[in-house]
Amino acid sequence: MKLPAKLVEIVSQSIADKLINEHIVEADDEQKFRHDILEIIKKAVEEEKELEEEAERLVEQYIKQFEHEDIRFRTAVLKVMEKLAEERNIHLDPEERLNQIANRIKRYIETEDSVEIFEHPNKIRRIVLELLKRLVREQREIDKEVRQRIRSYSRKIVEGTPEWRILYNRIYEDALKRRGWL
């Protein structure tokens, strides 16, 4: 779930707003509740970012071996990420990852003394999961758009290179601005 900070804020606010405004939960301190939801999602995004960065570092260390074996950079990174994710109990399957995050939020709500629950915890998890799924669909559309634009350049830019990353981030940010998220 590669999400810019602004998008993480938007989704965490959406989750908190829905839960509070529809009287699914009541928080003694709504600001703290909103902050805690934001921190749970930020932590999940950070875990995935660290996982990918570590996988890229490892692949870059051994890139010469991969070139001789005709393995693409991205394929190698994904294989290393799978192994690291397994070791750290982080789901890479998007559906499972969203469910994992929704469960973390549900557990927080269940265990936080300053939050009163008016619905079954599994209903809360399903609500959170649906909001997360909507966000990820939007993010995937943006990612697809950005990758298509990079591929449309007359000069081939190799994925994973610093140039590709800079270009990807710039185009991604432009897409977010067009959608009013930045």
Side-chain angles (χ1 to χ4, degrees), residues 59 62-80 158-159:
V59 170
Y62 300 100
I63 194 73
K64 296 295 180 204
Q65 292 174 1
F66 295 130
E67 287 173 355
H68 297 298
E69 296 176 20
D70 198 29
I71 297 175
R72 293 183 52 205
F73 178 82
R74 195 76 209 142
T75 303
V77 168
L78 291 174
K79 290 292 182 189
V80 173
V158 178
E159 184 174 345

Side-chain angles (χ1 to χ4, degrees), residues 124-140:
I124 293 170
R125 183 194 55 77
R126 284 193 306 274
I127 290 167
V128 170
L129 184 59
E130 285 308 310
L131 290 168
L132 290 170
K133 282 181 182 179
R134 189 175 325 141
L135 167 75
V136 169
R137 275 192 301 272
E138 289 286 329
Q139 188 274 334
R140 280 187 189 145

Side-chain angles (χ1 to χ4, degrees), residues 82-137:
E82 286 175 7
K83 183 66 177 160
L84 293 172
E86 183 181 326
E87 292 171 0
R88 298 175 186 176
N89 192 29
I90 296 173
H91 294 285
L92 290 181
D93 175 69
E95 184 82 21
E96 286 298 317
R97 183 62 176 162
L98 294 178
N99 199 31
Q100 192 175 37
I101 295 166
N103 274 319
R104 287 181 186 177
I105 293 171
K106 179 189 85 146
R107 272 194 308 276
Y108 159 74
I109 291 170
E110 286 178 311
T111 59
E112 179 59 41
D113 292 336
S114 66
V115 177
E116 189 171 344
I117 303 172
F118 298 111
E119 291 289 346
H120 193 278
N122 280 331
K123 181 175 181 180
I124 293 170
R125 183 194 55 77
R126 284 193 306 274
I127 290 167
V128 170
L129 184 59
E130 285 308 310
L131 290 168
L132 290 170
K133 282 181 182 179
R134 189 175 325 141
L135 167 75
V136 169
R137 275 192 301 272

Side-chain angles (χ1 to χ4, degrees), residues 8-55:
V8 170
E9 288 176 25
I10 290 169
V11 75
S12 66
Q13 284 302 116
S14 297
I15 290 169
D17 286 345
K18 183 163 183 84
L19 295 176
I20 291 169
N21 295 340
E22 293 184 14
H23 305 290
I24 296 168
V25 302
E26 184 178 297
D28 292 342
D29 183 349
E30 287 186 14
Q31 286 307 105
K32 179 187 179 309
F33 178 74
R34 291 174 189 284
H35 178 266
D36 291 347
I37 298 290
L38 174 63
E39 289 303 312
I40 291 168
I41 297 172
K42 276 172 127 177
K43 182 179 181 210
V45 170
E46 188 61 32
E47 286 172 346
E48 292 176 32
K49 182 180 173 188
E50 289 171 0
L51 187 74
E52 185 169 5
E53 287 172 354
E54 185 174 344

